[in-house]
C-alpha cells in the first residue's frame, strides 16, 4: 500500500512495545532483524539438539537439489553468501564427508549417501514443523503479502543509486 499523495509517515525510534497504531512509523530494519534473529535461533537450536547445523542442512539440500551432482566448488560458491565467512561451507562439506552423509566421485562431484538422504529427509521434517510454528495464526495470503512488501522494500533500496 502506498502512502496517500503528499503524506509521508515519520520514522519513529524502534520500540518493541509499539502499539498497532504506532507500527507504521517503526523502522523495518529493526523488525526484520528481530525476525531473522528469532527464527534463525529457533531453527539452529532445534537442529543442535539432533547434532546438525543449519549450514549442514543447506549443503544436503544443495547436493540433492539439482539435475546433476554439483562439484564441491559449485556448492561452496553457491552457499558461501549465506554462511558466516568464506571457510564455513568447505568445513561443512568436510564434516559431512567425515560423517559419511556425502561422498565425492572421481569427477569431484558430491552425492548424498543413504545416511545423508535419511538425514536430509529428517531435517526437512524438522524444518516443516518449525515453519508451522513460525506461521501459526498467519494465513498464506498474509505471508505472501508480507513477502511482497519486503521484496518491494528491497527493490526500493537497491534501485537506481543515482537518484
Amino acid at each position: 500500500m502506498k502512502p496517500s499523495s503528499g503524506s509521508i509517515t515519520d520514522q519513529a525510534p524502534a520500540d518493541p512495545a509499539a502499539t498497532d497504531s504506532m507500527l507504521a512509523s517503526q523502522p523495518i530494519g529493526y523488525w526484520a532483524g528481530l525476525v531473522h534473529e528469532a527464527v534463525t535461533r529457533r531453527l539452529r537450536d532445534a537442529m543442535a539438539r539432533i547434532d546438525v547445523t543449519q549450514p549442514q542442512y543447506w549443503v544436503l539440500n544443495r547436493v540433492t537439489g539439482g539435475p546433476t551432482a554439483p562439484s564441491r566448488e559449485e556448492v561452496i560458491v553457491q552457499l558461501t553468501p549465506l554462511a558466516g565467512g568464506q571457510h564455513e561451507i568447505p568445513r561443512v562439506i568436510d564434516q559431512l564427508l567425515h560423517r559419511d552423509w556425502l561422498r565425492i566421485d572421481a569427477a569431484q562431484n558430491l552425492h548424498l549417501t543413504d545416511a545423508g538422504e535419511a538425514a536430509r529427509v529428517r531435517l526437512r521434517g524438522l524444518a516443516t514443523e518449525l515453519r508451522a510454528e513460525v506461521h501459526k495464526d498467519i494465513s498464506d495470503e498474509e505471508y505472501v503479502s508480507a513477502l511482497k512488501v519486503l521484496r518491494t522494500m528491497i527493490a526500493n533500496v537497491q534501485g537506481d543509486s543515482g537518484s
Side-chain angles (χ1 to χ4, degrees):
M1 207 179 331
K2 296 185 180 189
S4 58
S5 63
S7 74
I8 296 177
T9 302
D10 286 338
Q11 179 73 57
D15 181 0
T19 63
D20 286 357
S21 66
M22 299 165 56
L23 288 177
S25 67
Q26 288 292 289
I28 186 62
Y30 171 77
W31 289 96
L34 286 181
V35 168
H36 173 76
E37 185 179 307
V39 171
T40 300
R41 182 177 47 248
R42 178 69 179 94
L43 178 63
R44 289 183 174 190
D45 287 350
M47 288 181 172
R49 285 192 282 283
I50 58 172
D51 193 28
V52 180
T53 67
Q54 187 181 31
Q56 288 172 339
Y57 181 48
W58 297 338
V59 170
L60 293 172
N61 277 327
R62 174 56 196 100
V63 168
T64 195
T68 60
S71 71
R72 178 186 180 96
E73 282 308 309
E74 288 171 327
V75 173
I76 291 168
V77 166
Q78 290 174 354
L79 296 180
T80 293
L82 302 173
Q86 66 180 353
H87 303 292
E88 184 170 11
I89 299 303
R91 287 177 185 139
V92 165
I93 292 170
D94 289 341
Q95 290 167 344
L96 295 175
L97 287 165
H98 177 76
R99 222 178 238 207
D100 292 325
W101 287 5
L102 288 181
R103 67 176 178 80
I104 195 159
D105 65 22
Q108 299 303 300
N109 293 323
L110 297 170
H111 303 271
L112 292 183
T113 63
D114 289 344
E117 175 61 10
R120 188 194 67 76
V121 168
R122 187 177 76 222
L123 288 165
R124 180 69 171 228
L126 175 62
T128 299
E129 288 172 22
L130 293 172
R131 183 186 189 281
E133 179 183 312
V134 171
H135 288 239
K136 184 177 178 232
D137 298 327
I138 301 169
S139 71
D140 285 348
E141 294 78 17
E142 290 171 309
Y143 182 71
V144 168
S145 292
L147 293 185
K148 287 170 118 177
V149 166
L150 292 172
R151 281 199 314 202
T152 300
M153 289 179 173
I154 292 166
N156 288 346
V157 299
Q158 289 180 341
D160 183 0
S161 60
S163 56

